[in-house]
Amino acid sequence: MMRRKCVRPYHALCHTPRSSPRESRRVEGIDVRLYPLCQADIDMSLYHALKRSSSSEEVPLLNNSGPLDPLGVDELTDEDADALSSMAGSSANTSTSALSTSTENSLDLLYVDLETLHGGEFIGVRLPPKGSLERNEMERKLKMKIDMAILPIVISMYMLNYLDRNNIAAAKLGSIIEDLNLSGTQYSSCVSILFVSYTLMQVPSNLILEKVGHPSIYLPTAMAIWGLLSILVTFVNGYRELLYIRFLIGFAEAAFYPGTVFYMSCWYTKYEIAKRSAIFVCGSWLSGAFSGLVAYGVLENLEGVWGLSAWRWLFLIEGTITVAVALIAMPILPNLPATTRWLSKEERLLGVLRMIEDVGQQDDDTTASSQSSSTRKASSKFASAMMGFVMAVKDPKVLNILQMMFSLAMTGGINTVFPTIVDSLGFSRPKTLLLTAPPWILCSITSVMNSFHSDKTGERCMHMLWGPCLALFGFFICIFTTSTILRYIAMLFLLQIYNSWSLGFAWMATTVPRPPIKRAAAVAFVNIGGNIPNIIVPFLFYQGSEPKFYLGFGVCALFAILGMLGALTLRAQLRRLNVKLEMGGKVDGLDGRTGFRFIY
């Protein structure tokens, strides 16, 4: 009888000696297997598919001394292979997916089949074992490469995103109101209209990005479009033209923030993403600081140059820089772990496995949890995208996060009127523009420190609370005093709300880890709630309510309290779900026996 070599598990491809099942689990954490390409591999894949679909606990095999042990068998006979093939012919459930899980037995093992993983591209690729010094060093180098490729670019992109979105606030300190003959209501409408289209395009844009799968092209293209539209503002001559262009800018900018949050969640694990999200969002806070400095330089020095008002130069310069950075970003940004061609095959496979080990499932719609069976059956990408959105809006965790982030955004909506608030202190225009910088710089520093400590401790909720607490203190100062010194000190506290902003999105991305189409929809859906307040808040700080702004400060303070309550509620919810996982149950198709736990 001829005997053929059967598949070896993950540790066999990692240059480590064969170990017992228990030793294998202890070394690897999750029993992940990479199958080399041979007929016996196909036989074994069929065996596991049959075992999952069988109503009995074990599938007996012919000419074998006992039931086949996936971890213990070294060889498979021709008769066994024939038996498997014939049994597969009668089975309606012979999975050929790259990732599969045995759900009918107590082992519940996780497998990665190289034959079907990304079209078999990683067949024969070898990696060091997880936990080894060689593997840790390889991961460190991979993360450094990705950090250097992603973070500087997305920070620059976010700085320009914020500048192009909010330069109208700086332009108000120039002559845009007089030149375009805008009333107070018309100006507020031009500020808010961008966030209407921005909100409408959030979910469709993220679903498109998830299906297109090329963030290195998609995100810079959107950036180039909003940069060109910003340049067009230079040539507007009235209210309607400004309103229409601002509306279109919102459509283009909608792709960036939720798209980048989803993009980063495809590369970084739940213990890595918070600090990197904070560094990324620093682009926004720093642009808040530099926008005042840039506006000061432009408004003070370019008035009347080449016959253009200084505020027109502001839009022209910032829009041109935006287009230039978009063109630079395209060849530098990586795509997804499996498709970044300037990484080696080993590095790409490591990127894929890191995300599998983080959650216990492949980051793939077709191999997602049982809750996404409708997604797998979808007959088109559009149907799959819509199913991801439906799964997101039906998830109580997502709705809870939406409430929390909406409340924090109502508090943080002061960023749209921050120059106006500082202007109410009564300083000259140059001093007002310069005084907007220190609160944003302080916010950048504290936000990064908060997120780094959150990742280090693996705790989220308490780190979410102190930002709203400080902002609430600042609002109380603003409400009860008009002292210039005290109010400026309060400005330093107000922007601390943004310590919770980037951390909140990082928390959300790890709370809805799989499938990616649901995660993409959830990020965009929550970001909608996070941007609706930008439509509302400018009307709370209406012209004529300065310098006290009682209505605006009072409403923002109320929502700071609601945001804190939302964080505490989410913490309690995730604790209950972790208890279920620890008892061996499943949450959203994620099995507690793989070691996955929510962090809170």
Side-chain angles (χ1 to χ4, degrees), residues 6-7 33 35 39-54 56-62 64 66-71 73 76 80-81 83-85 87-88 91 93-95 100 102 105 107 109 111:
C6 190
V7 293
R33 301 190 178 192
Y35 294 94
Q39 181 60 40
D41 302 351
I42 300 172
D43 296 338
M44 283 293 289
S45 297
L46 292 174
Y47 166 77
H48 292 302
L50 288 166
K51 195 167 185 178
R52 288 194 303 277
S53 62
S54 174
S56 62
E57 292 188 1
E58 296 174 334
V59 179
L61 296 179
L62 301 176
N64 208 46
L68 181 60
D69 180 356
L71 283 170
V73 169
L76 187 68
D80 290 341
L84 281 171
S85 299
M87 292 172 70
S91 173
N93 183 20
T94 55
S95 172
S100 57
S102 171
N105 57 70
L107 292 176
L109 301 174
Y111 302 92

Side-chain angles (χ1 to χ4, degrees), residues 270-431:
K270 59 178 174 281
Y271 295 109
E272 300 167 349
I273 193 170
K275 63 174 71 74
R276 288 167 175 85
S277 294
I279 293 172
F280 157 57
V281 175
C282 267
S284 175
W285 314 156
L286 291 173
S287 69
F290 290 127
S291 64
L293 302 177
V294 172
Y296 170 74
V298 173
L299 296 179
E300 289 297 308
N301 298 296
L302 294 181
E303 181 65 39
V305 175
W306 290 2
L308 295 177
S309 300
W311 66 267
R312 295 184 187 273
W313 278 108
L314 188 65
F315 285 98
L316 179 61
I317 292 171
E318 292 179 358
T320 302
I321 295 173
T322 297
V323 174
V325 171
L327 296 176
I328 294 171
M330 284 187 182
I332 297 177
L333 282 178
N335 279 310
L336 300 178
T339 58
T340 300
R341 294 302 171 186
W342 49 263
L343 293 176
S344 68
K345 281 190 177 182
E346 289 78 10
E347 289 171 326
R348 280 185 277 146
L349 180 56
L350 178 59
V352 172
L353 287 180
R354 276 167 32 84
M355 304 313 297
I356 294 175
E357 292 163 350
D358 184 47
V359 175
Q361 276 191 5
Q362 187 175 344
D363 200 16
D364 190 295
D365 294 323
T366 60
T367 57
S369 63
S370 58
Q371 68 161 331
S372 63
S373 59
S374 297
T375 303
R376 296 196 299 270
K377 295 176 183 177
S379 58
S380 67
K381 289 186 177 182
F382 174 76
S384 175
M386 290 305 299
M387 185 55 64
F389 176 71
V390 171
M391 285 191 290
V393 298
K394 286 185 176 181
D395 190 338
K397 301 191 302 298
V398 175
L399 298 179
N400 196 355
I401 296 170
L402 175 65
Q403 180 273 325
M404 177 182 71
M405 297 305 291
F406 176 84
S407 299
L408 296 178
M410 280 295 297
T411 307
I414 57 171
N415 79 84
T416 59
V417 292
F418 195 67
T420 301
I421 295 174
V422 178
D423 188 46
S424 69
L425 298 177
F427 294 106
S428 63
R429 185 177 75 180
K431 286 185 178 180

Side-chain angles (χ1 to χ4, degrees), residues 44-258:
M44 283 293 289
S45 297
L46 292 174
Y47 166 77
H48 292 302
L50 288 166
K51 195 167 185 178
R52 288 194 303 277
S53 62
S54 174
S55 59
S56 62
E57 292 188 1
E58 296 174 334
V59 179
L61 296 179
L62 301 176
N63 297 318
N64 208 46
S65 58
L68 181 60
D69 180 356
L71 283 170
V73 169
D74 288 316
E75 295 180 329
L76 187 68
T77 66
D78 287 331
E79 287 80 359
D80 290 341
D82 294 339
L84 281 171
S85 299
S86 62
M87 292 172 70
S90 62
S91 173
N93 183 20
T94 55
S95 172
T96 57
S97 64
L99 181 69
S100 57
T101 307
S102 171
T103 58
E104 296 297 330
N105 57 70
S106 61
L107 292 176
D108 200 33
L109 301 174
L110 183 65
Y111 302 92
V112 177
D113 188 349
L114 283 187
E115 181 189 335
T116 54
L117 182 63
H118 198 60
E121 183 175 349
F122 299 118
I123 291 171
V125 178
R126 293 171 177 264
L127 293 177
K130 183 181 178 183
S132 67
L133 293 177
E134 189 179 356
R135 167 73 177 267
N136 292 340
E137 179 64 14
M138 190 175 179
E139 283 200 42
R140 185 189 68 80
K141 290 181 178 179
L142 175 63
K143 285 188 287 185
M144 183 179 297
K145 278 187 179 182
I146 298 305
D147 286 344
M148 294 303 294
I150 292 179
L151 294 180
I153 293 295
V154 297
I155 289 172
S156 301
M157 293 172 75
Y158 201 13
M159 289 181 67
L160 293 165
N161 177 273
Y162 184 90
L163 285 174
D164 291 336
R165 187 190 314 169
N166 293 304
N167 50 17
I168 192 172
K172 185 183 180 183
L173 300 178
S175 59
I176 189 172
I177 299 294
E178 295 78 12
D179 291 353
L180 301 184
N181 195 26
L182 301 177
S183 66
T185 302
Q186 287 177 330
Y187 171 78
S188 296
S189 297
C190 289
V191 172
S192 300
I193 194 65
L194 180 146
F195 297 100
V196 174
S197 53
Y198 187 89
T199 298
L200 292 174
M201 194 60 186
Q202 296 272 296
V203 172
S205 176
N206 248 28
L207 296 178
I208 292 170
L209 172 60
E210 199 278 335
K211 286 304 174 186
V212 169
H214 292 283
S216 65
I217 297 174
Y218 186 81
L219 296 176
T221 299
M223 183 183 188
I225 292 172
W226 89 62
L228 290 172
L229 289 169
S230 184
I231 291 173
L232 289 179
V233 176
T234 305
F235 308 104
V236 300
N237 293 308
Y239 164 66
R240 290 184 180 276
E241 295 172 9
L242 179 61
L243 190 72
Y244 294 154
I245 293 178
R246 291 276 297 176
F247 184 76
L248 294 176
I249 290 175
F251 272 122
E253 290 202 355
F256 181 69
Y257 185 78

Side-chain angles (χ1 to χ4, degrees), residues 456-588:
K456 182 178 180 180
T457 59
E459 199 281 334
R460 293 288 188 259
C461 181
M462 295 301 126
H463 290 81
M464 287 285 296
L465 294 181
W466 75 277
C469 283
L470 291 176
L472 189 63
F473 180 63
F475 284 124
F476 284 151
I477 294 176
C478 290
I479 290 172
F480 292 111
T481 183
T482 56
S483 166
T484 299
I485 295 177
L486 290 179
R487 275 216 165 181
Y488 188 71
I489 292 174
M491 303 298 170
L492 300 174
F493 288 113
L494 293 184
L495 294 186
Q496 293 304 307
I497 186 65
Y498 287 107
N499 283 312
S500 302
W501 186 252
S502 62
L503 186 58
F505 274 94
W507 194 10
M508 188 213 61
T510 57
T511 300
V512 190
R514 298 292 185 272
I517 191 67
K518 176 184 175 182
R519 186 172 73 248
V523 169
F525 183 54
V526 170
N527 203 42
I528 288 175
N531 280 280
I532 288 176
N534 290 320
I535 303 172
I536 302 170
V537 171
F539 293 97
L540 300 177
F541 293 85
Y542 56 90
Q543 189 171 342
S545 63
E546 66 276 355
K548 296 181 179 180
F549 298 114
Y550 285 147
L551 177 63
F553 289 142
V555 171
C556 289
L558 172 63
F559 278 96
I561 296 172
L562 294 177
M564 289 187 283
L565 292 176
L568 292 170
T569 302
L570 181 60
R571 182 176 187 268
Q573 186 180 25
L574 295 180
R575 287 186 67 179
R576 290 195 300 271
L577 294 177
N578 273 359
V579 170
K580 183 177 179 180
L581 290 169
E582 287 166 4
M583 295 176 65
K586 291 187 177 183
V587 176
D588 296 343

